[in-house]
Structure formats: C-alpha cells, structure tokens
C-alpha cells in the first residue's frame, strides 16, 4: 500500500510540474560569442544569436514528456593573416539536453497480497497464495538523469564566413520526471597544414 501511495504522490507532483512548465513562455536568451587566435595566426570567431524557445503542452498530454520548438543561428568568421591557409573546417550547432530523473523504466503494476485466513485465492488468473485480499500496487523504477548532446546541423566551411540557421525545430523529451534543461552550443573547427583548432560557445541554460 505504501508503494502505491508513494507512486501516486510522484505522479501528482509530475503532473503539477507539467502544468507549471508546459504553458509558460521563454525568457529572451542572450547572444554569445567567443574569439581565439590560433597558433598559426588566424582569428576564429564563433557566435550564437537569435535563440528562442516556444514551450508547448506535449501532444500526448503525458506528465513525463516535454515538448517545444527552438530556433537559433550559429555564425563562424575567420579573419587575420595566418602563416598557411585554412584547408578545411566545419561549423556545428546543437543542444545539450539534461533531465534530473530518467523514468524510462516506466511503472511497475502488480498485486500486493494482504495475508489472511484464506488460501489459494486467484485474481485475474494469478494465484496470490495465502491471502484474503489482493491490493493493486504501482511503483516507479527511476534512474539518475543524464546529459545528451544533439547536433542540429553541421556545415563545411567554404570561406571566411559561414552560418547555420534553424527555426521551429521540435524538441521532445520523453521519460523525464520534472523539468528538462537545454543548453545550446556552436562549435567551429579549422585545420591547416600546421594546426587543428576548435572553438566553442555555449548558451545560457534554459528549461523546457
């Protein structure tokens, strides 16, 4: 009985969280930029701008699912006078997604037997043994949360300026108890005959 009460309490809390976070509007997300000078003399700048998140109630109306639509732009700029030309490179944009508790194991539904004077009682074809009463039980099997990196786009550099823009990309997170966190990222990688370099910039964490 206790496991049923605990599970019911968790489900009610999750439903409250879903109703609290499922309909709110996102605050403006700050632009971010970072620049480095490589060992071979190039100035490499990566910028993340125009990030936005539209939270929506999930289509399945599940307390364990978060859903929203994101948009952002990543920009790469290479300037300066390097010793040798940039032979190749790439720009990648995406999100890191985290949830505190993973409930992907779902719910366990079974029978909890209360001992009584009768024997051989069968409920739904299941013999519960020496019991006078069979009480349904529900329990969670939660696991610690994790962080997942999801790239939304990668572009090979073809010049000194490149960009990737994504708009209204759906992000749906299943089997998550409580709010989920998102952190955008943009990474520029360059390669010359002398050196390989990677420059990353990250957005402020936001919740879904």
């Amino acid at each position: 009985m206790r496991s049923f009460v605990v599970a019911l309490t968790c489900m009610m809390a999750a439903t409250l969280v879903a109703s609290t976070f499922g309909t709110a509007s996102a605050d403006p997300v700050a632009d971010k930029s970072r620049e480095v000078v490589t060992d071979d003399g190039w100035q490499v700048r990566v910028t993340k701008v125009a990030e936005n998140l539209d939270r929506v109630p999930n289509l399945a109306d599940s307390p364990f699912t978060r859903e929203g639509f994101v948009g952002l732009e990543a920009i790469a700029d290479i300037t300066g006078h390097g010793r040798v030309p940039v032979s190749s490179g790439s720009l990648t944009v995406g999100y890191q997604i985290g949830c505190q508790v993973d409930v992907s194991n779902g719910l366990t539904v079974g029978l909890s037997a209360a001992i009584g004077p009768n024997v051989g009682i069968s409920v739904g074809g299941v013999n519960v043994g020496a019991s006078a009463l069979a009480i349904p039980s529900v329990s969670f099997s939660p696991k610690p949360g994790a962080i997942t990196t999801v790239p939304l786009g990668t572009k090979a550099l073809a010049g000194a300026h490149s960009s990737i823009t994504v708009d209204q990309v759906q992000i749906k997170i299943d089997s998550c108890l409580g709010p989920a966190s998102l952190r955008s990222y943009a990474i520029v990688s360059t390669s010359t005959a002398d050196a390989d370099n990677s420059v990353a910039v990250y957005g402020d964490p936001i919740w879904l």
Side-chain angles (χ1 to χ4, degrees), residues 38 40-42 44 78-89 157 159 190-197:
T38 66
D40 47 6
W42 294 104
V44 180
I78 302 174
T79 57
H81 303 282
R83 294 190 302 272
V84 292
V86 175
S87 57
S88 63
L157 302 182
T190 60
S191 180
T192 70
D194 290 348
D196 294 329
N197 293 275

Side-chain angles (χ1 to χ4, degrees), residues 95-104 142-150 173-177 179-183:
Y95 274 93
Q96 295 176 328
I97 302 174
C99 180
Q100 288 183 335
V101 180
D102 176 2
V103 291
S104 59
K143 297 185 295 185
I147 298 175
T148 303
T149 299
V150 180
I173 303 170
D174 294 313
S175 304
C176 178
L177 179 63
S181 297
L182 306 177
R183 180 170 59 198

